[in-house]
Amino acid sequence: MRATVIHAPHDIRVEEVPDATVQQPTDVVLRVLRACICGSDLWAYRGESARQPGQRIGHEFLGVVEEAGSEVAGFSAGDLVVAPFVWSDGTCAYCAEGLTTSCPRGGFWGSVGSDGGQGEAVRVPFADGTLVKLPAAAASDDRLLTALLALSDVLGTGHHAALGAGVRPGSTVAVVGDGAVGLCGVMAAKRLGAERIITLGRHQARTDIARAFGATDVVAERGEAALAAVRELTRGEGTHGVIEAVGTEQSMRTAIDIVRDGGSVGYVGVPHGSGTGIDLDAMFDRNITLRGGVAPVRTYIPELLPDVLDGTIDPSPVFDLSVGLDGVPGGYKAMDERTALKVLIKP
């Protein structure tokens, strides 16, 4: 089969690799219908996250079950399914608590020895604990299929950030980061009842999507100017919650600066480039809560799926460039150069 591999920074290739096969009785083999490139994939692409030459890449995908192992109870050939970006067994204490990303037998797609999502097929371990079945009719609805793909990561990650930020009906929320996760954070905050949503961003194509998703205000400034602008919009207090969807030291400092005393920061940006850290004394004095981390999206999919299916929320606009497998290297380049927001892959 063909799949995307990374050989070195800025060296993404689509190559022939061994076919995905059932190796354990709890596995399924899934034929990929839709996949995409994540902003976190760019850290490997830029050489900021180590990868072995020839390692697979990609962790967001959905598709059709081609073959199921003998112990798989919930899926059979022909089922349309979505995969969260971490597989999990569904039976351990962490899975029972909803923290599927801490499953001792779990793992990330594209890790050494596993298939990545940006290919023609994927071996899915612990299929019953990992996959979620989708309506078969969605396979023939291109827009809906694209929206459902967001359940594999960015929509659930935005929801995780909104929960971490303590979003509740009537609250005021700021969103730091205008990438796909930040935009899905806007959508999640709106869905959870936020009355005012301030998005920080300066790219109009992205802030237009943010407004369509529910943002009420846009702050284009950065640094101290951004802090002043948010304070002006909030009677000098700051926001009840902040969604941090970038992962740099500066973005976290901005989030802490613009949250009001007693507020919460929900952080989901993959950390990179941190040097001196954050001021715990200031967080202590101001009673700021910090919650977040790797989003257990498998736990959130059953809650979010009905709203995607009935059109209550539609995250599909975050995908602004579509490519086939041969176009994946160019898709990475486009996202790295910020000429694309999020690249959809149709193998």
Side-chain angles (χ1 to χ4, degrees):
M1 70 178 194
R2 301 172 72 227
T4 305
V5 298
I6 182 167
H7 285 271
H10 302 281
D11 186 0
I12 296 284
R13 307 178 197 175
V14 178
E15 298 179 340
E16 292 288 335
V17 301
D19 287 341
T21 60
V22 170
Q23 298 178 17
Q24 300 293 331
T26 53
D27 292 350
V28 305
V29 171
L30 183 153
R31 175 170 53 87
V32 178
L33 293 183
R34 294 289 185 276
C36 54
I37 301 172
C38 182
S40 64
D41 291 330
L42 296 180
W43 305 129
Y45 180 73
R46 295 166 180 162
E48 297 183 38
S49 296
R51 294 292 188 276
Q52 294 184 5
Q55 189 172 335
R56 307 286 180 82
I57 195 166
H59 55 261
E60 299 166 277
F61 59 95
L62 57 74
V64 175
V65 173
E66 292 279 279
E67 181 183 1
S70 60
E71 294 181 13
V72 175
F75 303 97
S76 56
D79 286 342
L80 181 67
V81 295
V82 62
F85 66 85
V86 173
W87 72 78
S88 53
D89 64 18
T91 61
C92 72
Y94 285 113
C95 287
E97 294 168 4
L99 194 61
T100 52
T101 51
S102 290
C103 177
R105 296 199 288 177
F108 290 80
W109 312 111
S111 56
V112 176
S114 73
D115 292 322
Q118 296 165 10
E120 292 181 322
V122 176
R123 178 182 76 90
V124 178
F126 304 110
D128 283 328
T130 300
L131 299 174
V132 176
K133 191 177 296 187
L134 303 173
S140 60
D141 186 331
D142 189 67
R143 184 211 57 78
L144 178 58
L145 204 61
T146 301
L148 291 168
L149 176 61
L151 290 166
S152 65
D153 185 346
V154 289
L155 183 58
T157 298
H159 179 69
H160 188 58
L163 293 177
V167 177
R168 60 189 184 278
S171 60
T172 296
V173 184
V175 180
V176 179
D178 60 1
V181 170
L183 294 173
C184 286
V186 171
M187 176 173 284
K190 177 69 173 178
R191 178 179 175 275
L192 291 173
E195 181 176 325
R196 194 169 195 182
I197 304 170
I198 304 167
T199 188
L200 279 66
R202 57 176 59 187
H203 299 85
Q204 185 173 344
R206 299 182 180 205
T207 57
D208 285 349
I209 295 173
R211 288 191 183 278
F213 283 2
T216 56
D217 303 272
V218 171
V219 169
E221 294 84 357
R222 293 184 179 179
E224 291 298 322
L227 170 60
V230 173
R231 295 282 180 179
E232 183 177 354
L233 289 169
T234 57
R235 303 180 305 279
E237 295 179 353
T239 59
H240 298 105
V242 178
I243 290 171
E244 191 285 310
V246 181
T248 64
E249 184 175 314
Q250 180 57 56
S251 63
M252 184 62 80
R253 287 184 181 277
T254 297
I256 291 170
D257 284 344
I258 62 179
V259 72
R260 76 194 298 270
D261 287 13
S264 300
V265 174
Y267 69 102
V268 292
V270 177
H272 57 280
S274 295
T276 58
I278 57 177
D279 188 349
L280 290 179
D281 286 339
M283 294 182 64
F284 181 84
D285 291 342
R286 297 176 54 210
N287 280 283
I288 294 172
T289 299
L290 187 64
R291 293 183 296 179
V294 185
V297 300
R298 175 60 182 84
T299 299
Y300 300 140
I301 291 174
E303 175 184 348
L304 298 171
L305 176 59
D307 284 358
V308 176
L309 290 174
D310 68 14
T312 299
I313 54 176
D314 177 14
S316 64
V318 301
F319 300 96
D320 60 344
L321 176 63
S322 178
V323 299
L325 267 183
D326 288 334
V328 170
Y332 272 84
K333 187 173 186 292
M335 284 184 61
D336 185 46
E337 296 175 348
R338 293 179 67 85
T339 58
L341 170 60
K342 190 169 182 65
V343 174
L344 177 69
I345 302 168
K346 299 180 178 181

